Amino acid sequence: MKSNAMQSIGQDAGSSAQTEPPAATILLIEDERVTRTSMAARLTRLGYRVLEAENGLVGLDVARRERPDLLIVDWMMPEMDGPTFCEAVRRDPLLKSSQTLLMTAHDKPAQIAEGLARGADDFLSKSASKQEIVARVLAGLRTSRLVRKLETTGSQLESSMRLLQTKQAEMEADLQSAADFVQSILPAQGSPVQGISLAWEYQPALTLGGDLFGVASIDAEHLGLYILDASGHGVAAALRSASLMTFLRVEHMLQLIGSYDPEKVLFEANRRFPLSDEGEYFTLWVGQLHLPTRSLSYASAGHHGVLHSPAEKPSRWLTHPSSPLGFDPAAVFPGGRMTLQPTDRLFLMSDGIYEASSPTGEPWGRWRFQQAIETQKRSPLASTISHCFTEARRWQEQCDFFDDAAVVGLELTI
Amino acid sequence: MKIKERTSPQGIILDLEGDLTYANQAVFKAAVEKAKQAGCRHLIVNMEQVRFVDSAGLGLLVLVSQSFKRLQAQVSMLKPQSYVREIMSLANIPKMIPIYENENDALVARAA
């Protein structure tokens, strides 16, 4: 048995090959030397590079080595016949998409069906005219080119996909790291000072959010608190919020204005944080609690999510119309003042929680939020906040919020 | 969101339909820019068919108002729905962008 493939390179032979690139390689597998030589010569004259093999086993070796554009294989051969060769090609990961023409002296429908079922792509009669040979070879090569292009594109896509997935994983890890950092700078739950309980729940719409809040001692007798909400959400809003949070630090305010007077804090913040060129802004509520007298002074720049919830009386919103930061450079932010009683609760929230919409588009609303608070007056502070989130999720019929959702609760325990 | 533009001698009216939100801001910005390019001195934003305005939409309205003010032109709002009206009111928007209940009042106000 011959083990070497024979090769002949064609000259530019005729008009029939004019639509096919001359460099296409065809592997011809035929045990009868005369038939093989004759067919090879024909194909060579048509301008193809022709490789020859005298049986299926040799043909497989040559195919794996040379990766021809088209395989033409005889049906009847010793050791490995044509259909068996086709099956072997389909099983081979390297060759399985190869275009295969099965040569046969007969064209009985049953034979054709068997050949196709066993892996042939087309048939070529041994007595086919030159025109038919050209047409089937051209068709086979056309399909072969398409398949190879698809395979290459598929490979490139897989490679790009793997790269994208890697990059995405890196980005998500970075975002999560940033989100963890933000969580770490939020006030610790529990008791920031004697006599005050603090609990909160915060769910950003994306990994990072634009809502932030703070509770910190100003001095031995005063507690400062604020909640800010940057328009939009995501990384951009989070970065802007971090900037305002830094501005609102007690040490900074004491240095800038000498106090944490809410009206003055907002006045300065309004100067420092104008409306951006993209229409981005903040809403901000600032409060200062004098602990010995339980006197709360507060002011708001467009932030309406603050609810005072006494233990034995109905809750009420500490809300009046006010411009968000940056809307009006000349804005003044009139303050409010009230005295809290022991067991009173104060809830600061971002609009993401009460603007949660039902599937029909109706917002949960501040009224329903208020009802959720009212029904939980006897429950622990953290449970009350958790209940609000549960109810909001139930309303919108999903777990994630479209906008950042934050609820901060303070309770005077003495 | 869909926006239809109507021109009158006293100004350009943008009839908005849908939600004025972050997702739709490009459409709104384009419509406003087109009105500016046309030399609009009074832009009337018809909010009758706007169901919801988010924080981005609110900021956009104020931005437009501020930019028109710099050109000594004006922005007015027409017939906001109750929920939108409440949001506008809480944010003191009417102080920057007057709200009218009918088109004629808006047009006449500017002309005056």
Side-chain angles (χ1 to χ4, degrees):
Chain A
M1 177 176 71
K2 278 191 186 174
S3 59
N4 295 326
M6 289 163 281
Q7 172 178 316
S8 47
I9 309 285
Q11 296 158 359
D12 186 40
S15 57
S16 302
Q18 65 203 16
T19 57
E20 289 298 313
T25 301
I26 299 175
L27 172 58
L28 177 61
I29 307 161
E30 163 65 74
D31 62 316
E32 288 183 13
R33 194 176 67 83
V34 170
T35 310
R36 185 177 71 243
T37 307
S38 164
M39 179 65 84
R42 272 181 159 183
L43 294 170
T44 301
R45 281 195 297 276
L46 288 170
Y48 300 114
R49 174 177 174 252
V50 182
L51 305 174
E52 297 174 45
E54 67 274 16
N55 64 55
L57 286 172
V58 174
L60 281 176
D61 279 342
V62 175
R64 287 184 189 119
R65 192 172 63 243
E66 298 285 341
R67 301 296 310 280
D69 299 293
L70 186 65
L71 307 172
I72 301 177
V73 55
D74 185 27
W75 188 294
M76 297 295 296
M77 290 187 297
E79 305 210 37
M80 180 186 272
D81 67 9
T84 308
F85 173 86
C86 292
E87 284 172 332
V89 163
R90 296 295 167 233
R91 279 197 304 269
D92 190 317
L94 262 184
L95 303 176
K96 63 182 177 181
S97 60
S98 301
Q99 293 302 297
T100 311
L101 296 190
L102 201 45
M103 271 200 305
T104 174
H106 310 287
D107 58 357
K108 294 196 177 89
Q111 195 178 31
I112 291 173
E114 184 196 342
L116 289 170
R118 292 177 71 180
D121 293 298
D122 200 358
F123 281 84
L124 188 59
S125 169
K126 285 192 175 180
S127 59
S129 66
K130 180 182 170 186
Q131 289 84 355
E132 187 180 345
I133 293 173
V134 165
R136 289 194 188 271
V137 164
L138 279 177
L141 287 171
R142 204 161 49 230
T143 306
S144 175
R145 272 198 303 276
L146 269 170
V147 167
R148 286 196 170 172
K149 194 169 177 189
L150 274 170
E151 282 175 340
T152 306
T153 305
S155 252
Q156 287 168 346
L157 277 171
E158 272 176 30
S159 179
S160 298
M161 179 68 76
R162 276 194 298 274
L163 183 62
L164 270 172
Q165 283 169 342
T166 304
K167 292 291 175 195
Q168 172 135 3
E170 284 171 11
M171 267 177 50
E172 282 174 2
D174 283 344
L175 277 175
Q176 189 55 53
S177 181
D180 292 343
F181 171 72
V182 167
Q183 291 276 330
S184 74
I185 60 176
L186 292 174
Q189 302 198 49
S191 187
V193 294
Q194 193 181 9
I196 302 285
S197 259
L198 172 68
W200 52 264
E201 203 166 313
Y202 177 31
Q203 185 176 329
L206 302 170
T207 311
L208 279 175
D211 294 355
L212 286 173
F213 46 88
V215 178
S217 292
I218 298 165
D219 54 41
E221 293 191 340
H222 293 89
L223 188 71
L225 34 146
Y226 68 83
I227 183 164
L228 66 91
D229 186 350
S231 63
H233 35 264
V235 174
L239 287 173
R240 286 186 288 117
S241 289
S243 172
L244 180 53
M245 190 186 209
T246 304
F247 179 83
L248 291 170
R249 282 175 52 242
V250 169
E251 300 79 9
H252 182 247
M253 275 298 129
L254 291 178
Q255 194 178 29
L256 188 67
I257 60 174
S259 75
Y260 216 81
D261 181 298
E263 291 178 49
K264 291 179 183 170
V265 169
L266 289 186
F267 180 80
E268 290 299 325
N270 192 49
R271 284 178 52 203
R272 176 66 178 77
F273 294 91
L275 190 68
S276 81
D277 291 342
E278 297 300 318
E280 296 151 337
Y281 62 93
F282 297 97
T283 64
L284 174 62
W285 184 96
V286 178
Q288 181 175 233
L289 181 63
H290 183 237
L291 297 162
T293 60
R294 298 188 306 278
S295 171
L296 174 72
S297 57
Y298 58 90
S300 171
H303 195 95
H304 307 296
V306 181
L307 185 72
H308 170 229
S309 176
E312 304 298 336
K313 290 181 190 172
S315 55
R316 67 182 184 103
W317 294 94
L318 303 184
T319 297
H320 54 264
S322 58
S323 300
L325 295 182
F327 273 25
D328 180 2
V332 172
F333 303 95
R337 194 177 287 275
M338 62 180 297
T339 302
L340 299 174
Q341 301 302 324
T343 72
D344 275 6
R345 289 176 171 178
L346 197 65
F347 293 96
L348 284 56
M349 73 217 66
S350 60
D351 57 6
I353 186 82
Y354 57 77
E355 285 187 355
S357 291
S358 70
T360 57
E362 186 183 350
W364 191 42
R366 297 195 307 156
W367 184 83
R368 287 188 186 91
F369 178 91
Q370 191 171 3
Q371 297 311 301
I373 293 291
E374 289 288 332
T375 60
Q376 298 293 307
K377 285 201 173 184
R378 306 282 173 233
S379 300
L381 188 61
S383 303
T384 301
I385 294 171
S386 185
H387 174 75
C388 291
F389 272 81
T390 301
E391 288 303 299
R393 289 188 183 107
R394 199 198 311 273
W395 176 261
Q396 63 180 13
E397 294 182 24
Q398 62 179 30
C399 279
D400 296 330
F401 292 92
F402 184 72
D403 194 5
D404 306 325
V407 179
V408 183
L410 289 104
E411 182 171 343
L412 272 68
T413 53
I414 53 167
Chain B
M1 185 174 64
K2 293 183 197 161
I3 302 182
K4 200 172 70 176
E5 181 188 290
R6 289 182 289 127
T7 308
S8 85
Q10 295 93 346
I12 290 178
I13 301 150
L14 295 182
D15 297 310
L16 273 54
E17 186 185 336
D19 298 339
L20 184 55
T21 61
Y22 178 81
N24 296 326
Q25 59 178 334
V27 174
F28 182 65
K29 277 181 180 174
V32 169
E33 189 55 34
K34 191 178 166 207
K36 262 192 192 172
Q37 297 296 328
C40 174
R41 308 304 299 163
H42 185 194
L43 182 70
I44 301 168
V45 183
N46 184 358
M47 303 284 281
E48 190 174 14
Q49 302 298 325
V50 174
R51 298 170 304 178
F52 178 69
V53 178
D54 71 357
S55 56
L58 207 62
L60 208 51
L61 282 169
V62 175
L63 197 66
V64 168
S65 168
Q66 287 181 355
S67 75
F68 268 67
K69 196 172 169 184
R70 281 193 291 274
L71 299 170
Q72 265 108 52
Q74 185 184 313
V75 177
S76 300
M77 210 181 304
L78 201 49
K79 295 182 276 189
Q81 294 184 18
S82 59
Y83 181 74
V84 173
R85 189 185 295 265
E86 187 189 345
I87 293 171
M88 299 288 169
S89 178
L90 287 172
N92 262 350
I93 297 294
K95 285 190 178 175
M96 288 166 263
I97 306 175
I99 295 178
Y100 297 95
E101 296 311 314
N102 70 67
E103 204 167 291
N104 209 49
D105 287 351
L107 292 166
V108 163
R110 168 65 186 176

